[in-house]
Amino acid sequence: MDVLQLDVSGRPQAWVTVKEAAILYASDAIAWTLGEACHVMRGGVQRATGLQSRIEVHSIIAVRGAVPSRAWRSSPALTNPKLFVRDRFVCAYCGAHFAADDLTREHIIPVSRGGADSWMNCITACRGCNGHKGNRLPEEVHMSLLYLPYVPSLHEDMILRGRRILADQMEFLLASVPRSSRLHD
């Protein structure tokens, strides 16, 4: 189980382990929390009070400090696992649902013809459809897209990273995802 780390303004920054979150708690770096306490870590007995130290880690934490420059990236990094999740493991040409091992990153405008390796030029395709299209444009082989590509938002990117997301974390992230996103399906 990972903890969703936000900056003080509420923008998602990273998924961190419970241990990494506990270090942030212990160093007084937590500005505020959301969600339920999802893990309790216990330490040694304090000499002054005789009580055992205890840190309750919440599922969503906001960290004090400057906002890292990566938070302002215009688009998240493109990876095959995130692309396949964005496209719901569905081939954009035949519409069939496939396992990740049977899918490929398909460039609508082939790279060999000047197409970019970007969210807006990439869709998920099965191996058969990708092989049939080759380095041609879809219209040259009479293929059409069943859905259009889009650039995921920062909140969508956190969902696409494939973590086991707790209900309160998903609720927080989906609240900022456009209703038109395929992640709401």
Side-chain angles (χ1 to χ4, degrees), residues 122-154:
C122 290
I123 47 90
T124 297
C126 66
R127 294 187 185 283
C129 288
N130 196 347
H132 176 71
K133 180 181 165 285
N135 73 337
R136 297 169 289 189
L137 298 174
E139 55 270 17
E140 292 173 350
V141 288
H142 309 289
M143 297 173 82
S144 58
L145 293 172
L146 299 176
Y147 56 79
L148 296 174
Y150 69 93
V151 179
S153 70
L154 178 63

PDB file of all heavy atoms in Angstrom, residues 122-154:
ATOM      1  N   CYS A 122      -0.092   8.630 -30.092  1.00  0.00           N
ATOM      2  CA  CYS A 122      -0.005   7.213 -29.733  1.00  0.00           C
ATOM      3  C   CYS A 122      -1.339   6.692 -29.213  1.00  0.00           C
ATOM      4  O   CYS A 122      -2.028   7.371 -28.448  1.00  0.00           O
ATOM      5  CB  CYS A 122       1.070   6.999 -28.669  1.00  0.00           C
ATOM      6  SG  CYS A 122       2.741   7.245 -29.291  1.00  0.00           S
ATOM      7  N   ILE A 123      -1.650   5.500 -29.657  1.00  0.00           N
ATOM      8  CA  ILE A 123      -2.827   4.785 -29.169  1.00  0.00           C
ATOM      9  C   ILE A 123      -2.422   3.340 -28.918  1.00  0.00           C
ATOM     10  O   ILE A 123      -1.339   2.910 -29.303  1.00  0.00           O
ATOM     11  CB  ILE A 123      -4.021   4.876 -30.162  1.00  0.00           C
ATOM     12  CG1 ILE A 123      -3.598   4.572 -31.606  1.00  0.00           C
ATOM     13  CG2 ILE A 123      -4.674   6.232 -30.112  1.00  0.00           C
ATOM     14  CD1 ILE A 123      -3.694   3.159 -31.967  1.00  0.00           C
ATOM     15  N   THR A 124      -3.307   2.602 -28.294  1.00  0.00           N
ATOM     16  CA  THR A 124      -3.093   1.190 -28.039  1.00  0.00           C
ATOM     17  C   THR A 124      -3.620   0.389 -29.221  1.00  0.00           C
ATOM     18  O   THR A 124      -4.732   0.641 -29.692  1.00  0.00           O
ATOM     19  CB  THR A 124      -3.843   0.783 -26.750  1.00  0.00           C
ATOM     20  OG1 THR A 124      -3.289   1.513 -25.653  1.00  0.00           O
ATOM     21  CG2 THR A 124      -3.721  -0.694 -26.482  1.00  0.00           C
ATOM     22  N   ALA A 125      -2.811  -0.556 -29.711  1.00  0.00           N
ATOM     23  CA  ALA A 125      -3.248  -1.426 -30.804  1.00  0.00           C
ATOM     24  C   ALA A 125      -2.803  -2.855 -30.514  1.00  0.00           C
ATOM     25  O   ALA A 125      -1.758  -3.083 -29.908  1.00  0.00           O
ATOM     26  CB  ALA A 125      -2.669  -0.962 -32.133  1.00  0.00           C
ATOM     27  N   CYS A 126      -3.607  -3.806 -30.970  1.00  0.00           N
ATOM     28  CA  CYS A 126      -3.203  -5.208 -30.859  1.00  0.00           C
ATOM     29  C   CYS A 126      -2.088  -5.455 -31.872  1.00  0.00           C
ATOM     30  O   CYS A 126      -1.891  -4.668 -32.807  1.00  0.00           O
ATOM     31  CB  CYS A 126      -4.387  -6.136 -31.098  1.00  0.00           C
ATOM     32  SG  CYS A 126      -5.061  -6.112 -32.771  1.00  0.00           S
ATOM     33  N   ARG A 127      -1.367  -6.516 -31.669  1.00  0.00           N
ATOM     34  CA  ARG A 127      -0.235  -6.817 -32.554  1.00  0.00           C
ATOM     35  C   ARG A 127      -0.687  -6.994 -34.008  1.00  0.00           C
ATOM     36  O   ARG A 127      -0.025  -6.545 -34.936  1.00  0.00           O
ATOM     37  CB  ARG A 127       0.512  -8.046 -32.052  1.00  0.00           C
ATOM     38  CG  ARG A 127       1.174  -7.800 -30.705  1.00  0.00           C
ATOM     39  CD  ARG A 127       2.068  -8.942 -30.273  1.00  0.00           C
ATOM     40  NE  ARG A 127       2.588  -8.712 -28.937  1.00  0.00           N
ATOM     41  CZ  ARG A 127       3.581  -7.875 -28.645  1.00  0.00           C
ATOM     42  NH1 ARG A 127       4.148  -7.179 -29.606  1.00  0.00           N
ATOM     43  NH2 ARG A 127       3.986  -7.724 -27.397  1.00  0.00           N
ATOM     44  N   GLY A 128      -1.833  -7.631 -34.197  1.00  0.00           N
ATOM     45  CA  GLY A 128      -2.333  -7.852 -35.558  1.00  0.00           C
ATOM     46  C   GLY A 128      -2.646  -6.560 -36.289  1.00  0.00           C
ATOM     47  O   GLY A 128      -2.231  -6.369 -37.441  1.00  0.00           O
ATOM     48  N   CYS A 129      -3.364  -5.667 -35.633  1.00  0.00           N
ATOM     49  CA  CYS A 129      -3.712  -4.384 -36.267  1.00  0.00           C
ATOM     50  C   CYS A 129      -2.474  -3.522 -36.497  1.00  0.00           C
ATOM     51  O   CYS A 129      -2.342  -2.887 -37.548  1.00  0.00           O
ATOM     52  CB  CYS A 129      -4.740  -3.633 -35.426  1.00  0.00           C
ATOM     53  SG  CYS A 129      -6.399  -4.359 -35.476  1.00  0.00           S
ATOM     54  N   ASN A 130      -1.564  -3.503 -35.525  1.00  0.00           N
ATOM     55  CA  ASN A 130      -0.344  -2.712 -35.671  1.00  0.00           C
ATOM     56  C   ASN A 130       0.478  -3.248 -36.840  1.00  0.00           C
ATOM     57  O   ASN A 130       0.996  -2.477 -37.657  1.00  0.00           O
ATOM     58  CB  ASN A 130       0.468  -2.732 -34.380  1.00  0.00           C
ATOM     59  CG  ASN A 130       1.518  -1.635 -34.328  1.00  0.00           C
ATOM     60  OD1 ASN A 130       1.827  -0.997 -35.320  1.00  0.00           O
ATOM     61  ND2 ASN A 130       2.072  -1.430 -33.153  1.00  0.00           N
ATOM     62  N   GLY A 131       0.582  -4.574 -36.960  1.00  0.00           N
ATOM     63  CA  GLY A 131       1.327  -5.166 -38.071  1.00  0.00           C
ATOM     64  C   GLY A 131       0.678  -4.883 -39.416  1.00  0.00           C
ATOM     65  O   GLY A 131       1.365  -4.623 -40.404  1.00  0.00           O
ATOM     66  N   HIS A 132      -0.649  -4.921 -39.459  1.00  0.00           N
ATOM     67  CA  HIS A 132      -1.368  -4.641 -40.708  1.00  0.00           C
ATOM     68  C   HIS A 132      -1.160  -3.190 -41.148  1.00  0.00           C
ATOM     69  O   HIS A 132      -0.943  -2.923 -42.336  1.00  0.00           O
ATOM     70  CB  HIS A 132      -2.859  -4.928 -40.539  1.00  0.00           C
ATOM     71  CG  HIS A 132      -3.679  -4.580 -41.743  1.00  0.00           C
ATOM     72  ND1 HIS A 132      -3.631  -5.305 -42.907  1.00  0.00           N
ATOM     73  CD2 HIS A 132      -4.556  -3.568 -41.950  1.00  0.00           C
ATOM     74  CE1 HIS A 132      -4.448  -4.742 -43.793  1.00  0.00           C
ATOM     75  NE2 HIS A 132      -5.026  -3.693 -43.230  1.00  0.00           N
ATOM     76  N   LYS A 133      -1.194  -2.264 -40.205  1.00  0.00           N
ATOM     77  CA  LYS A 133      -1.025  -0.850 -40.540  1.00  0.00           C
ATOM     78  C   LYS A 133       0.416  -0.544 -40.944  1.00  0.00           C
ATOM     79  O   LYS A 133       0.664   0.210 -41.871  1.00  0.00           O
ATOM     80  CB  LYS A 133      -1.441   0.037 -39.366  1.00  0.00           C
ATOM     81  CG  LYS A 133      -1.282   1.527 -39.669  1.00  0.00           C
ATOM     82  CD  LYS A 133      -1.688   2.349 -38.478  1.00  0.00           C
ATOM     83  CE  LYS A 133      -1.202   3.758 -38.607  1.00  0.00           C
ATOM     84  NZ  LYS A 133       0.210   3.953 -38.376  1.00  0.00           N
ATOM     85  N   GLY A 134       1.360  -1.166 -40.237  1.00  0.00           N
ATOM     86  CA  GLY A 134       2.773  -0.929 -40.566  1.00  0.00           C
ATOM     87  C   GLY A 134       3.148   0.527 -40.425  1.00  0.00           C
ATOM     88  O   GLY A 134       2.717   1.210 -39.502  1.00  0.00           O
ATOM     89  N   ASN A 135       3.942   1.023 -41.373  1.00  0.00           N
ATOM     90  CA  ASN A 135       4.374   2.426 -41.291  1.00  0.00           C
ATOM     91  C   ASN A 135       3.544   3.319 -42.220  1.00  0.00           C
ATOM     92  O   ASN A 135       4.035   4.302 -42.756  1.00  0.00           O
ATOM     93  CB  ASN A 135       5.878   2.552 -41.584  1.00  0.00           C
ATOM     94  CG  ASN A 135       6.199   2.362 -43.056  1.00  0.00           C
ATOM     95  OD1 ASN A 135       5.428   1.734 -43.776  1.00  0.00           O
ATOM     96  ND2 ASN A 135       7.314   2.908 -43.496  1.00  0.00           N
ATOM     97  N   ARG A 136       2.273   2.957 -42.355  1.00  0.00           N
ATOM     98  CA  ARG A 136       1.370   3.752 -43.187  1.00  0.00           C
ATOM     99  C   ARG A 136       0.399   4.532 -42.303  1.00  0.00           C
ATOM    100  O   ARG A 136       0.258   4.244 -41.116  1.00  0.00           O
ATOM    101  CB  ARG A 136       0.608   2.841 -44.143  1.00  0.00           C
ATOM    102  CG  ARG A 136       1.555   2.123 -45.114  1.00  0.00           C
ATOM    103  CD  ARG A 136       0.859   1.045 -45.882  1.00  0.00           C
ATOM    104  NE  ARG A 136       0.551  -0.072 -44.987  1.00  0.00           N
ATOM    105  CZ  ARG A 136       0.089  -1.235 -45.387  1.00  0.00           C
ATOM    106  NH1 ARG A 136      -0.149  -1.454 -46.660  1.00  0.00           N
ATOM    107  NH2 ARG A 136      -0.162  -2.194 -44.519  1.00  0.00           N
ATOM    108  N   LEU A 137      -0.271   5.481 -42.892  1.00  0.00           N
ATOM    109  CA  LEU A 137      -1.314   6.222 -42.191  1.00  0.00           C
ATOM    110  C   LEU A 137      -2.584   5.367 -42.158  1.00  0.00           C
ATOM    111  O   LEU A 137      -2.806   4.559 -43.076  1.00  0.00           O
ATOM    112  CB  LEU A 137      -1.601   7.550 -42.896  1.00  0.00           C
ATOM    113  CG  LEU A 137      -0.436   8.539 -42.976  1.00  0.00           C
ATOM    114  CD1 LEU A 137      -0.816   9.749 -43.815  1.00  0.00           C
ATOM    115  CD2 LEU A 137      -0.010   8.965 -41.582  1.00  0.00           C
ATOM    116  N   PRO A 138      -3.415   5.515 -41.131  1.00  0.00           N
ATOM    117  CA  PRO A 138      -4.631   4.687 -41.047  1.00  0.00           C
ATOM    118  C   PRO A 138      -5.496   4.742 -42.317  1.00  0.00           C
ATOM    119  O   PRO A 138      -5.982   3.709 -42.783  1.00  0.00           O
ATOM    120  CB  PRO A 138      -5.381   5.271 -39.843  1.00  0.00           C
ATOM    121  CG  PRO A 138      -4.319   5.891 -39.006  1.00  0.00           C
ATOM    122  CD  PRO A 138      -3.287   6.403 -39.972  1.00  0.00           C
ATOM    123  N   GLU A 139      -5.644   5.936 -42.887  1.00  0.00           N
ATOM    124  CA  GLU A 139      -6.493   6.053 -44.081  1.00  0.00           C
ATOM    125  C   GLU A 139      -5.893   5.354 -45.303  1.00  0.00           C
ATOM    126  O   GLU A 139      -6.618   4.944 -46.205  1.00  0.00           O
ATOM    127  CB  GLU A 139      -6.821   7.520 -44.393  1.00  0.00           C
ATOM    128  CG  GLU A 139      -5.624   8.425 -44.543  1.00  0.00           C
ATOM    129  CD  GLU A 139      -5.173   9.083 -43.248  1.00  0.00           C
ATOM    130  OE1 GLU A 139      -5.558   8.637 -42.149  1.00  0.00           O
ATOM    131  OE2 GLU A 139      -4.407  10.047 -43.348  1.00  0.00           O
ATOM    132  N   GLU A 140      -4.580   5.172 -45.321  1.00  0.00           N
ATOM    133  CA  GLU A 140      -3.937   4.490 -46.449  1.00  0.00           C
ATOM    134  C   GLU A 140      -4.256   2.992 -46.464  1.00  0.00           C
ATOM    135  O   GLU A 140      -4.149   2.339 -47.505  1.00  0.00           O
ATOM    136  CB  GLU A 140      -2.415   4.689 -46.408  1.00  0.00           C
ATOM    137  CG  GLU A 140      -1.992   6.113 -46.668  1.00  0.00           C
ATOM    138  CD  GLU A 140      -0.501   6.352 -46.468  1.00  0.00           C
ATOM    139  OE1 GLU A 140       0.207   5.463 -45.943  1.00  0.00           O
ATOM    140  OE2 GLU A 140      -0.037   7.451 -46.839  1.00  0.00           O
ATOM    141  N   VAL A 141      -4.608   2.441 -45.322  1.00  0.00           N
ATOM    142  CA  VAL A 141      -4.962   1.016 -45.232  1.00  0.00           C
ATOM    143  C   VAL A 141      -6.425   0.838 -44.818  1.00  0.00           C
ATOM    144  O   VAL A 141      -6.817  -0.238 -44.371  1.00  0.00           O
ATOM    145  CB  VAL A 141      -4.008   0.255 -44.281  1.00  0.00           C
ATOM    146  CG1 VAL A 141      -2.646   0.102 -44.894  1.00  0.00           C
ATOM    147  CG2 VAL A 141      -3.925   0.917 -42.929  1.00  0.00           C
ATOM    148  N   HIS A 142      -7.214   1.902 -44.963  1.00  0.00           N
ATOM    149  CA  HIS A 142      -8.650   1.885 -44.695  1.00  0.00           C
ATOM    150  C   HIS A 142      -8.965   1.432 -43.268  1.00  0.00           C
ATOM    151  O   HIS A 142      -9.881   0.638 -43.038  1.00  0.00           O
ATOM    152  CB  HIS A 142      -9.392   1.025 -45.724  1.00  0.00           C
ATOM    153  CG  HIS A 142      -9.052   1.379 -47.132  1.00  0.00           C
ATOM    154  ND1 HIS A 142      -9.468   2.559 -47.720  1.00  0.00           N
ATOM    155  CD2 HIS A 142      -8.298   0.740 -48.059  1.00  0.00           C
ATOM    156  CE1 HIS A 142      -8.991   2.631 -48.950  1.00  0.00           C
ATOM    157  NE2 HIS A 142      -8.273   1.533 -49.186  1.00  0.00           N
ATOM    158  N   MET A 143      -8.186   1.966 -42.321  1.00  0.00           N
ATOM    159  CA  MET A 143      -8.426   1.706 -40.902  1.00  0.00           C
ATOM    160  C   MET A 143      -8.857   3.018 -40.262  1.00  0.00           C
ATOM    161  O   MET A 143      -8.347   4.074 -40.636  1.00  0.00           O
ATOM    162  CB  MET A 143      -7.168   1.169 -40.217  1.00  0.00           C
ATOM    163  CG  MET A 143      -6.693  -0.166 -40.746  1.00  0.00           C
ATOM    164  SD  MET A 143      -5.100  -0.677 -40.065  1.00  0.00           S
ATOM    165  CE  MET A 143      -5.631  -1.375 -38.514  1.00  0.00           C
ATOM    166  N   SER A 144      -9.760   2.950 -39.324  1.00  0.00           N
ATOM    167  CA  SER A 144     -10.156   4.177 -38.628  1.00  0.00           C
ATOM    168  C   SER A 144     -10.048   3.958 -37.123  1.00  0.00           C
ATOM    169  O   SER A 144     -10.178   2.840 -36.624  1.00  0.00           O
ATOM    170  CB  SER A 144     -11.569   4.601 -39.015  1.00  0.00           C
ATOM    171  OG  SER A 144     -12.479   3.574 -38.717  1.00  0.00           O
ATOM    172  N   LEU A 145      -9.821   5.059 -36.415  1.00  0.00           N
ATOM    173  CA  LEU A 145      -9.692   5.013 -34.959  1.00  0.00           C
ATOM    174  C   LEU A 145     -11.077   4.936 -34.323  1.00  0.00           C
ATOM    175  O   LEU A 145     -11.987   5.677 -34.705  1.00  0.00           O
ATOM    176  CB  LEU A 145      -8.975   6.254 -34.445  1.00  0.00           C
ATOM    177  CG  LEU A 145      -7.506   6.403 -34.836  1.00  0.00           C
ATOM    178  CD1 LEU A 145      -6.979   7.766 -34.415  1.00  0.00           C
ATOM    179  CD2 LEU A 145      -6.683   5.303 -34.195  1.00  0.00           C
ATOM    180  N   LEU A 146     -11.218   4.056 -33.344  1.00  0.00           N
ATOM    181  CA  LEU A 146     -12.479   3.929 -32.614  1.00  0.00           C
ATOM    182  C   LEU A 146     -12.564   4.921 -31.471  1.00  0.00           C
ATOM    183  O   LEU A 146     -13.638   5.166 -30.938  1.00  0.00           O
ATOM    184  CB  LEU A 146     -12.636   2.501 -32.087  1.00  0.00           C
ATOM    185  CG  LEU A 146     -12.681   1.419 -33.168  1.00  0.00           C
ATOM    186  CD1 LEU A 146     -12.737   0.041 -32.526  1.00  0.00           C
ATOM    187  CD2 LEU A 146     -13.875   1.637 -34.088  1.00  0.00           C
ATOM    188  N   TYR A 147     -11.411   5.456 -31.051  1.00  0.00           N
ATOM    189  CA  TYR A 147     -11.360   6.496 -30.031  1.00  0.00           C
ATOM    190  C   TYR A 147     -10.160   7.378 -30.319  1.00  0.00           C
ATOM    191  O   TYR A 147      -9.257   7.008 -31.069  1.00  0.00           O
ATOM    192  CB  TYR A 147     -11.295   5.898 -28.613  1.00  0.00           C
ATOM    193  CG  TYR A 147     -10.152   4.941 -28.373  1.00  0.00           C
ATOM    194  CD1 TYR A 147      -8.859   5.397 -28.123  1.00  0.00           C
ATOM    195  CD2 TYR A 147     -10.358   3.566 -28.390  1.00  0.00           C
ATOM    196  CE1 TYR A 147      -7.809   4.514 -27.906  1.00  0.00           C
ATOM    197  CE2 TYR A 147      -9.323   2.682 -28.170  1.00  0.00           C
ATOM    198  CZ  TYR A 147      -8.043   3.161 -27.923  1.00  0.00           C
ATOM    199  OH  TYR A 147      -7.009   2.296 -27.710  1.00  0.00           O
ATOM    200  N   LEU A 148     -10.170   8.558 -29.740  1.00  0.00           N
ATOM    201  CA  LEU A 148      -9.100   9.518 -29.982  1.00  0.00           C
ATOM    202  C   LEU A 148      -8.117   9.550 -28.817  1.00  0.00           C
ATOM    203  O   LEU A 148      -8.507   9.337 -27.669  1.00  0.00           O
ATOM    204  CB  LEU A 148      -9.690  10.920 -30.185  1.00  0.00           C
ATOM    205  CG  LEU A 148     -10.586  11.073 -31.409  1.00  0.00           C
ATOM    206  CD1 LEU A 148     -11.220  12.449 -31.432  1.00  0.00           C
ATOM    207  CD2 LEU A 148      -9.804  10.812 -32.686  1.00  0.00           C
ATOM    208  N   PRO A 149      -6.866   9.824 -29.106  1.00  0.00           N
ATOM    209  CA  PRO A 149      -5.880   9.950 -28.021  1.00  0.00           C
ATOM    210  C   PRO A 149      -6.063  11.272 -27.275  1.00  0.00           C
ATOM    211  O   PRO A 149      -6.687  12.210 -27.798  1.00  0.00           O
ATOM    212  CB  PRO A 149      -4.540   9.929 -28.763  1.00  0.00           C
ATOM    213  CG  PRO A 149      -4.851  10.434 -30.124  1.00  0.00           C
ATOM    214  CD  PRO A 149      -6.265  10.008 -30.426  1.00  0.00           C
ATOM    215  N   TYR A 150      -5.550  11.326 -26.058  1.00  0.00           N
ATOM    216  CA  TYR A 150      -5.544  12.573 -25.292  1.00  0.00           C
ATOM    217  C   TYR A 150      -4.379  12.543 -24.322  1.00  0.00           C
ATOM    218  O   TYR A 150      -3.834  11.490 -24.012  1.00  0.00           O
ATOM    219  CB  TYR A 150      -6.878  12.801 -24.559  1.00  0.00           C
ATOM    220  CG  TYR A 150      -7.152  11.836 -23.424  1.00  0.00           C
ATOM    221  CD1 TYR A 150      -6.793  12.135 -22.112  1.00  0.00           C
ATOM    222  CD2 TYR A 150      -7.780  10.615 -23.667  1.00  0.00           C
ATOM    223  CE1 TYR A 150      -7.043  11.252 -21.068  1.00  0.00           C
ATOM    224  CE2 TYR A 150      -8.029   9.720 -22.626  1.00  0.00           C
ATOM    225  CZ  TYR A 150      -7.663  10.053 -21.343  1.00  0.00           C
ATOM    226  OH  TYR A 150      -7.915   9.177 -20.322  1.00  0.00           O
ATOM    227  N   VAL A 151      -3.994  13.727 -23.830  1.00  0.00           N
ATOM    228  CA  VAL A 151      -2.915  13.849 -22.857  1.00  0.00           C
ATOM    229  C   VAL A 151      -3.536  13.776 -21.467  1.00  0.00           C
ATOM    230  O   VAL A 151      -4.399  14.594 -21.132  1.00  0.00           O
ATOM    231  CB  VAL A 151      -2.149  15.178 -23.030  1.00  0.00           C
ATOM    232  CG1 VAL A 151      -1.050  15.300 -21.981  1.00  0.00           C
ATOM    233  CG2 VAL A 151      -1.581  15.299 -24.432  1.00  0.00           C
ATOM    234  N   PRO A 152      -3.127  12.810 -20.642  1.00  0.00           N
ATOM    235  CA  PRO A 152      -3.687  12.715 -19.294  1.00  0.00           C
ATOM    236  C   PRO A 152      -3.290  13.907 -18.425  1.00  0.00           C
ATOM    237  O   PRO A 152      -2.185  14.442 -18.549  1.00  0.00           O
ATOM    238  CB  PRO A 152      -3.059  11.431 -18.723  1.00  0.00           C
ATOM    239  CG  PRO A 152      -2.498  10.703 -19.890  1.00  0.00           C
ATOM    240  CD  PRO A 152      -2.186  11.735 -20.922  1.00  0.00           C
ATOM    241  N   SER A 153      -4.195  14.294 -17.547  1.00  0.00           N
ATOM    242  CA  SER A 153      -3.887  15.342 -16.578  1.00  0.00           C
ATOM    243  C   SER A 153      -2.966  14.774 -15.504  1.00  0.00           C
ATOM    244  O   SER A 153      -2.749  13.562 -15.433  1.00  0.00           O
ATOM    245  CB  SER A 153      -5.182  15.844 -15.926  1.00  0.00           C
ATOM    246  OG  SER A 153      -5.709  14.830 -15.078  1.00  0.00           O
ATOM    247  N   LEU A 154      -2.466  15.635 -14.637  1.00  0.00           N
ATOM    248  CA  LEU A 154      -1.605  15.201 -13.539  1.00  0.00           C
ATOM    249  C   LEU A 154      -2.331  14.198 -12.645  1.00  0.00           C
ATOM    250  O   LEU A 154      -1.763  13.180 -12.235  1.00  0.00           O
ATOM    251  CB  LEU A 154      -1.158  16.419 -12.723  1.00  0.00           C
ATOM    252  CG  LEU A 154      -0.295  16.156 -11.500  1.00  0.00           C
ATOM    253  CD1 LEU A 154       1.034  15.535 -11.901  1.00  0.00           C
ATOM    254  CD2 LEU A 154      -0.052  17.452 -10.740  1.00  0.00           C
TER     255      LEU A 154
END
